[in-house]
Amino acid sequence: MHFFSSETVPSENQKITHPILDDAQVSLHIKREDQIHKKVSGNKFRKLKYNLGKARELNHNTILTFGGSYSNHIAATAAAGKIVGLRTIGVIRGDELAKDIDKTFLENNTLRFANACGMHLKFVSRKAYREKTSEVFLEKLREEFDSFYVIPEGGTNELAVKGCEEIQTKQDIDFDVICCAVGTGGTIAGIINSSNTNQTILGFPALKGDFLSAEIAKYTSKTNWKLVTDYHFGGYGKVNEEIIGFINQFYAQHNILLDPIYTGKMLYGIFDMVQKGVFPKNTRILAVHTGGLQGIAGMNKRLKKKKLPLITI
């Protein structure tokens, strides 16, 4: 598989069997986007594909992007840069992480991996990070690093949406409902754009708040979608014993690992909605597994400190 290939990369749809689904007479398949690339999995591969192509087209040899200390996007961009031979810079939220960098790398699998891939990590304060889209902030970065191709935090832009339009293929046209976890909105926007009008696209936001609807609407003119805001478990990165238990049980039953930030909460929500009779009989549901599994190790360290059950890996 090559990032610069014009070919569309398909992913397998895996059927899920469960008494809750049987009782409701509803079918569920999971689109295994997590399996399309070992190090740049799921929607991150889709988002980066055309952005890397554009960077090369514009003769840039450096990619600069932004993220938190456990960011899937940071890890994926670092890995992709190494694969295609582009220098990568990650602007990381939290300048305290730079005070003892050896300790940070020891404790943080995501940043250790990004560093091992050759990504230059620039740690900035949370106050400075909030200015990351301002021209003044970007100009300071250009003074420090010379020219670079910018990819936004989370990877969402028009080229990312174009890549995510390739998630759904001809094999998926018979599904009635397509479900997707939502972070910055790019993945679901691509899925909406490639959907048929008779399909309903449900987004499960990982964040609290209603701002995502406006973000998604920037990239699509279709209206066959809505956000389900009942399953964020308190907000981005928030988990409890219930969601951890669900993830572990799902893995034990189906041998599919879910991440606790995105896909775990989406699948929990789908099963809860099925059990509550939200979907009519014979509804065919496709849930997109967007990867993000690299963050589990970091989450387990947090859970251990809180004396909560760990996610089975």
Side-chain angles (χ1 to χ4, degrees):
M1 185 193 307
H2 201 286
F3 280 97
F4 301 130
S5 171
S6 60
E7 294 179 14
T8 300
V9 180
S11 53
E12 175 195 356
N13 292 338
Q14 185 171 337
K15 184 174 175 58
I16 302 299
T17 56
H18 195 282
I20 289 174
L21 301 170
D22 294 339
D23 291 346
Q25 295 180 41
V26 166
S27 74
L28 172 64
H29 287 73
I30 294 184
K31 178 168 275 296
R32 299 299 305 274
E33 287 282 294
D34 58 308
Q35 295 182 326
I36 63 174
H37 196 283
K38 287 183 178 179
K39 294 181 179 178
V40 194
S41 76
N43 61 338
K44 300 309 176 189
F45 178 91
R46 306 292 187 185
K47 288 182 172 184
L48 287 168
K49 177 182 175 181
Y50 289 107
N51 273 292
L52 295 179
K54 177 58 74 171
R56 190 169 75 164
E57 180 187 318
L58 296 174
N59 293 318
H60 283 288
N61 61 12
T62 302
I63 301 286
L64 182 140
T65 194
F66 309 85
S69 58
Y70 293 99
S71 166
N72 294 324
H73 172 65
I74 288 292
T77 302
K82 182 179 180 181
I83 291 166
V84 302
L86 288 170
R87 178 188 182 212
T88 56
I89 300 167
V91 180
I92 309 299
R93 182 178 62 247
D95 55 348
E96 73 279 0
L97 296 164
K99 291 177 181 175
D100 188 342
I101 196 66
D102 291 334
K103 182 184 177 186
T104 293
F105 288 150
L106 185 67
E107 295 179 349
N108 189 300
N109 295 53
T110 303
L111 296 179
R112 185 169 69 246
F113 173 78
N115 177 68
C117 289
M119 175 176 271
H120 176 88
L121 301 172
K122 178 177 174 60
F123 299 93
V124 300
S125 69
R126 281 160 172 75
K127 181 180 179 182
Y129 191 82
R130 285 194 288 270
E131 303 299 317
K132 62 185 177 294
T133 58
S134 74
E135 191 53 43
V136 172
F137 186 80
L138 290 171
E139 190 55 41
K140 286 181 181 177
L141 291 173
R142 288 189 193 99
E143 289 173 8
E144 182 174 354
F145 297 113
D146 203 5
S147 67
F148 46 74
Y149 180 88
V150 178
I151 299 178
E153 180 181 35
T156 289
N157 57 18
E158 288 187 5
L159 290 174
V161 172
K162 179 182 177 182
C164 290
E165 288 172 5
E166 297 178 357
I167 291 173
Q168 189 175 210
T169 60
K170 290 179 181 179
Q171 67 173 333
D172 307 324
I173 58 174
D174 290 332
F175 287 100
D176 304 301
V177 178
I178 301 176
C179 299
C180 176
V182 181
T184 51
T187 303
I188 191 172
I191 292 169
I192 293 164
N193 286 343
S194 59
S195 68
N196 290 338
T197 53
N198 63 324
Q199 293 178 311
T200 299
I201 316 301
L202 297 181
F204 291 75
L207 300 87
K208 292 170 72 173
D210 298 326
F211 64 95
L212 280 168
S213 291
E215 285 298 308
I216 295 164
K218 290 178 183 177
Y219 299 105
T220 185
S221 59
K222 292 186 177 180
T223 58
N224 60 329
W225 61 277
K226 65 178 179 179
L227 297 182
V228 181
T229 57
D230 302 326
Y231 301 103
H232 52 64
F233 283 79
Y236 186 77
K238 300 285 182 67
V239 296
N240 59 21
E241 287 193 41
E242 187 176 12
I243 188 64
I244 299 303
F246 174 83
I247 289 169
N248 286 338
Q249 186 179 34
F250 195 88
Y251 184 47
Q253 291 174 338
H254 307 290
N255 198 33
I256 300 175
L257 187 57
L258 306 174
D259 87 282
I261 310 296
Y262 298 104
T263 54
K265 293 178 179 181
M266 172 190 67
L267 263 298
Y268 179 97
I270 291 169
F271 273 92
D272 190 55
M273 292 168 72
V274 169
Q275 207 162 16
K276 289 176 177 174
V278 172
F279 301 107
K281 287 181 180 179
N282 301 316
T283 298
R284 293 159 297 185
I285 303 170
L286 179 65
V288 180
H289 192 319
T290 47
L293 302 177
Q294 67 83 28
I296 291 177
M299 176 61 76
N300 273 343
K301 288 180 179 178
R302 288 169 53 192
L303 293 171
K304 191 173 183 180
K305 287 180 181 178
K306 295 180 179 180
K307 295 183 168 60
L308 288 170
L310 304 185
I311 298 168
T312 304
I313 300 178

